[in-house]
Amino acid sequence: GNNNNPVGTVYKIEDTDASPSFTTVTTTATSTSLTVTPNAAYFFNVSAFYANNVTLTGSVGVGTTTLAALPTSPTVSALSTSTLTLSWGANNNPTTTIYQVSSPDNSFASVTTTATTTNRTGLIPNASYTFTVKAYSTGQSAYNAGTAASATTTLANAPGTPTFGTPTATTLPITINTNSNSAATTYAIY
């Protein structure tokens, strides 16, 4: 509200902290929006002036922290039978932002990091994994909804040496050594 200040009162919002900073705003409106950086603390003063820059009220110092931006869509690289690398973009969050990498189906333990990449190890061969990366909003002490990656399937183990049964005139029974691959694994015999 205008705190009963007369019509024509000018409000001045000034940054009192050097980093990150925003441009000083002067307005007659009692609300405005500032362009700011995600997941950052801001401290500023608000003053009210009337005609000829006569101060109506002294500066009021306040502070707040912006929410963390959602990370960009995670991508998978360096995929193997039991490991992968997951990377995402910070989306203008500061380098001190904490990210949580989790699996909605709890197929692996969550990990927290300030990096925008993480290596996942100990995965099961030829298994599907989904990932969500969330950014921690310092001022709100909570993670945002996060950004999900497309489902990724680890590589299958190479099958072991097959065994042959007793051949007939028209058949040759073959037993594939699955080498710990899941039952859903498809094999090519050529």
Side-chain angles (χ1 to χ4, degrees), residues 28-171:
T28 57
T30 57
S31 66
T32 189
S33 292
L34 304 172
T35 301
V36 292
T37 302
N39 209 18
Y42 287 90
F43 301 93
F44 47 93
N45 287 332
V46 179
S47 301
F49 297 89
Y50 193 57
N52 300 325
N53 282 332
V54 174
T55 302
L56 293 175
T57 59
S59 293
V60 177
V62 293
T64 191
T65 303
T66 55
L67 296 174
L70 289 173
T72 62
S73 293
T75 58
V76 174
S77 62
L79 186 63
S80 76
T81 58
S82 62
T83 63
L84 60 79
T85 299
L86 190 68
S87 303
W88 58 91
N91 199 12
N92 294 320
N93 284 314
T95 57
T96 56
T97 299
I98 299 169
Y99 299 96
Q100 179 187 61
V101 179
S102 61
S103 177
D105 62 0
N106 295 316
S107 56
F108 64 87
S110 295
V111 63
T112 55
T113 180
T114 56
T116 55
T117 186
T118 186
N119 295 317
R120 303 303 306 156
T121 60
L123 304 176
I124 297 169
N126 200 31
S128 180
Y129 291 91
T130 56
F131 302 92
T132 300
V133 179
K134 299 176 180 183
Y136 187 76
S137 293
T138 305
Q140 284 68 37
S141 299
Y143 285 96
N144 60 22
T147 306
S150 298
T152 299
T153 301
T154 52
L155 300 177
N157 283 324
T161 304
T163 56
F164 298 97
T166 305
T168 68
T170 59
T171 62

Side-chain angles (χ1 to χ4, degrees), residues 12-28:
K12 187 175 185 180
I13 304 168
E14 297 176 288
D15 189 359
T16 61
D17 185 20
S19 176
S21 64
F22 61 88
T23 304
T24 297
V25 175
T26 303
T27 181
T28 57

